[in-house]
Amino acid sequence: MTIKKDLMAAAFASVIAVPAFAEEVNIGVPSWTGAQAIAYVLGEVVTSRIGGTVEYVPGNNATIFQAMDQGEGDIDVHPDVWLPNQESFTKQYVDEAGTVTLSSNPYQGNQGFCVSNDFAAEMNITDIADLGRPDVAAAMDSDGNGLGEMWIGAPGWASANVNEVKTRDYGLLDFIEPIRAEEAVKTARIKDSIAKGEGYAFYCYEPHAVWFMFDVTMLTEPTFDPEKYIMVQPSDDADWYENSMVATKDDLKQVQIAWSNSLEGRSPAIAEFFANFSLTAQDVSGLAYEISANGRDPAEVAAEWVAANSDRVDAMLGL
C-alpha cells in the first residue's frame, strides 16, 4: 500500500512540475539586416529571460503574414513591419481578419535613395532628379547597356515595388535601370563602386548599418504629398504598377513588430513580452552595423545587447 501511495505521489508531482504552457515561438526572419537583428534580440530575450525555445524561420513579408494568419505556429512573429510599406498586409490580417496583432511601440524610419559622398561631390548630385542627367547615368552604367543601375530593394519587399513606380514617375526610366537583388548584393556593390571610383545609386533607409559602413548621402526628393503618393501593392491588384502613381518622397515610417493572435493561447508570456517590446532606430542601426559591417553572428550580437540593456529588458518583461 505504501509503495502504491509513493508511486501515485511521484506521478502527481511529475505532472504538476510540467508548466501549463510550453513557451516557444517561431520567429520570422526577413532578408534585411535590421529585421534579422530585431529577430535575434526577440529570440535572445525569449531564451535567456523567459526560458522558452526559439526557431528562426527565413521568409518574405507575404510568407510571414500568411503563416501568422494561419495561427498554427509555423511562424509566429514578424520582427520589422514598416508602415505604410506593408499596409496591404496589416489591413488584410490585422484590420480585416483580426488574426494578427500590431505592436503599439514603433520606432521611426526614413527612406530614400543614396549615393556615395565622393560620387555626389564629383558629379554635383544632390537630388533624385540628378540621376536623370545623361552624364550621371553614364557614370552609373557598369554593364554597358546605356542605363545606369540603381538598386531598388530585394525581391518580395513592398518598398521595392514603391521604388519601381517612383523610378518611372520621376522620369528616370530612360536613364536608370531599376535592379532588384538581395541586400547583400547591394552592400557588396556599394563597397566595390567606392573602391573603383564608380557611380552607383541605391535605395537606402534609416535605421541601417550602411550609415556606419560607408560615407553616403541621401538625395532630396519632392516633399511628401499624399495626393501624389497613390501606391497599390501586388497583393491588392494584379495591375498594381499601372494603377500606382508615386512622384513624391515617402512619409516618415512607423516600424514595429507583429505577431499571431494564436500565440497568446500557446505561449502567453512571450505574447505579453511582444506587447511591451520596443527598440529605437539607433538601437537597430547599431545592431545592424555589428552584423553587416563586422560580420558578427546575429545571435552573439543580440545576446550582447540584451546583457548590456538589462534594465530595459526588465521593463519589457514587466519586472
Side-chain angles (χ1 to χ4, degrees), residues 141-191:
D141 181 11
S142 67
D143 58 10
N145 70 348
L147 298 173
E149 296 91 34
M150 180 169 71
W151 184 78
I152 62 169
W157 289 13
S159 56
N161 300 328
V162 174
N163 292 335
E164 185 169 347
V165 174
K166 274 191 180 186
T167 307
R168 179 196 67 193
D169 293 346
Y170 281 155
L172 298 177
L173 285 181
D174 289 338
F175 308 94
I176 297 296
E177 178 183 7
I179 302 294
R180 296 190 190 223
E182 294 301 331
E183 192 166 22
V185 175
K186 177 263 299 185
T187 303
R189 183 71 184 98
I190 296 172
K191 182 177 182 180

Side-chain angles (χ1 to χ4, degrees), residues 235-278:
S235 57
D236 295 328
D237 188 345
D239 297 323
W240 64 275
Y241 184 70
E242 293 77 11
N243 293 332
S244 294
M245 188 272 284
V246 182
T248 173
K249 180 177 172 61
D250 280 64
D251 198 5
L252 292 176
K253 309 299 179 181
Q254 298 297 311
V255 194
Q256 55 259 287
I257 68 171
W259 61 93
S260 174
N261 288 350
S262 68
L263 189 65
E264 184 174 355
R266 293 182 284 111
S267 299
I270 295 175
E272 183 178 357
F273 159 57
F274 285 172
N276 295 324
F277 179 76
S278 66

Side-chain angles (χ1 to χ4, degrees), residues 33 36 187 191 208-214 284-302 304:
T33 310
Q36 295 167 12
T187 303
K191 182 177 182 180
H208 195 277
V210 73
W211 305 102
F212 292 84
M213 297 171 68
F214 308 108
V284 180
S285 287
L287 290 160
Y289 173 71
E290 290 296 330
I291 296 167
S292 291
N294 295 334
R296 297 181 60 194
D297 177 19
E300 178 184 289
V301 173
E304 203 172 81

